[in-house]
Amino acid sequence: GTQADFIVNNYNLYQLSTGELLRSEIKNKTNLGKEISSIINTGSLVSDAIVKKLVEIFISDKKFKNRLIFDGYPRNLAQAKTLEEMLKKYDQKIDLVLKLTVSLETIKKRIMDRKSQEKRADDNEDTAIKRFKTYEITTEPLIEYYKKMNLLKEIDGERTIDQINKEISDIIDLI
Ligand code: AMP
């Protein structure tokens, strides 16, 4: 999220954070929000169908054509395949996939720092550990998937925000 924010501000791009979209449903107390709040608070994934609906609103909008940064999406292989189908349908493609690698210890520390600022209901140690497990089991296979497609760049996420900014800019500038 931090780095997506930076990329958006430096390039003419739009950030699509599925987590943010889902949290705003909860905040606005919509029917969807009521359905998903307990799922998010236990660190599991919301259904692929719900996420697809939210994402397609942006992919189908000409204003965002080929200018989206997906933050926290796709989270599993089914979502990656759905994303490809949607991009094809609206004549778009993925240019780059970034993996920021961070240890569980660092994640816990950063989440505790964020907790005091953003007050996210899922920013507690138990849910953070569950989210990390969900990542390892469900999301990690995407790394091989995008590696095979020659789209993946791995970045050491343990470094400072500025150092990571710089590396990401250099990678984007080469596209
Ligand atoms: P994030 O803001 O990306 O950390 O996401 C917070 C929570 O929202 C996750 O732990 C999931 O419960 C849910 N979520 C966000 N993005 C997705 C997605 N692409 N698919 C399923 N659930 C998601």
Side-chain angles (χ1 to χ4, degrees), residues 152-167:
L152 192 86
K153 292 275 184 225
E154 297 196 49
I155 290 172
D156 174 6
E158 296 286 340
R159 294 168 309 152
T160 66
I161 291 175
D162 285 349
Q163 286 171 323
I164 299 171
N165 277 346
K166 169 84 174 67
E167 187 173 350

Side-chain angles (χ1 to χ4, degrees), residues 104-105 107-109 111-112 115 121-132:
L104 180 56
E105 281 320 298
I107 287 176
K108 280 190 208 160
K109 195 183 157 300
I111 282 178
M112 289 310 136
K115 189 179 175 62
D122 60 346
D123 275 350
N124 57 73
E125 185 156 339
D126 285 351
T127 308
I129 292 169
K130 180 72 200 311
R131 281 156 63 198
F132 193 76

Side-chain angles (χ1 to χ4, degrees), residues 12-27:
N12 182 23
L13 299 170
Y14 301 88
Q15 179 177 2
L16 197 172
S17 158
T18 44
E20 280 294 325
L21 292 176
L22 294 167
R23 277 188 292 282
S24 83
E25 295 287 333
I26 296 173
K27 200 173 148 216

Side-chain angles (χ1 to χ4, degrees), residues 59-161:
I59 294 184
S60 62
D61 188 333
K62 286 202 179 73
K63 189 163 73 219
F64 303 122
K65 192 169 179 190
N66 272 324
R67 307 224 69 83
L68 287 169
I69 297 183
F70 299 99
D71 167 11
Y73 173 86
R75 284 289 232 269
N76 59 31
L77 275 173
Q79 289 185 10
K81 290 189 176 144
T82 302
L83 172 62
E84 237 155 90
E85 283 162 21
M86 284 194 284
L87 290 175
K88 206 167 169 192
K89 181 172 165 192
Y90 297 102
D91 189 28
Q92 297 173 62
K93 68 172 179 57
I94 298 173
D95 292 304
L96 173 68
V97 177
L98 293 173
K99 175 188 189 239
L100 281 85
T101 308
V102 193
S103 69
L104 180 56
E105 281 320 298
T106 302
I107 287 176
K108 280 190 208 160
K109 195 183 157 300
R110 288 184 186 169
I111 282 178
M112 289 310 136
D113 289 346
R114 183 171 69 184
K115 189 179 175 62
S116 55
Q117 295 158 19
E118 290 182 25
K119 301 197 169 39
R120 269 175 56 166
D122 60 346
D123 275 350
N124 57 73
E125 185 156 339
D126 285 351
T127 308
I129 292 169
K130 180 72 200 311
R131 281 156 63 198
F132 193 76
K133 289 215 172 88
T134 303
Y135 170 79
E136 286 183 317
I137 296 165
T138 314
T139 310
E140 186 87 48
L142 289 181
I143 302 307
E144 275 310 307
Y145 180 78
Y146 285 121
K147 238 185 218 168
K148 280 198 187 122
M149 292 170 83
N150 260 331
L151 289 170
L152 192 86
K153 292 275 184 225
E154 297 196 49
I155 290 172
D156 174 6
E158 296 286 340
R159 294 168 309 152
T160 66
I161 291 175

